[in-house]
Amino acid sequence: MVTAFIIVAAIAWICQMAFGGWQIHQFNRAFDALCQKGRVGVGRSGGRFKPRVVVAIALDENNRVCDSLIMRGITVFARPTKIQAINGISLQELQPDVIFPHDSLCQNALSLALNLKHG
């Protein structure tokens, strides 16, 4: 009985690592494609027991959003998706509370992504 439990726990741990690696690979591919389109800002929110949200936006030379991605969830099955609603909007016109009116975690992540680092 104990041996079976240890085997199941080991298999679950290996699956968790494999799916986590796959999730990181998917995000890195989407993020690399985003970086090819312009300057990129990234924001993350969430906590240990809340769903994490990662938002990345790419801006063109006119400071308009040319592409974006959002990844949210608790599990390793979360995948990066596009935020179609903000494409073409200028940086000054983006308002996180208007884009995500009922999701404070997404609002926080987007507001952090709008604070681009210069360097």
Side-chain angles (χ1 to χ4, degrees), residues 36-110:
Q36 300 297 318
K37 297 181 180 182
R39 295 182 321 156
V40 176
V42 179
R44 180 183 70 87
S45 69
R48 186 158 183 86
F49 298 108
K50 290 189 220 175
R52 293 190 186 235
V53 177
V54 177
V55 173
I57 58 169
L59 301 173
D60 62 11
E61 59 277 349
N62 299 322
N63 279 338
R64 292 197 172 274
V65 177
C66 58
D67 202 0
S68 61
L69 67 85
I70 184 169
M71 191 167 77
R72 67 177 128 192
I74 297 174
T75 68
V76 294
F77 299 111
R79 295 288 165 255
T81 58
K82 305 280 184 192
I83 310 171
Q84 299 296 338
I86 65 174
N87 285 349
I89 299 176
S90 78
L91 182 64
Q92 292 76 23
E93 296 172 7
L94 280 174
Q95 297 176 350
D97 57 335
V98 173
I99 296 165
F100 299 110
H102 305 293
D103 194 341
S104 62
L105 293 174
C106 290
Q107 289 174 8
N108 187 29
L110 181 57

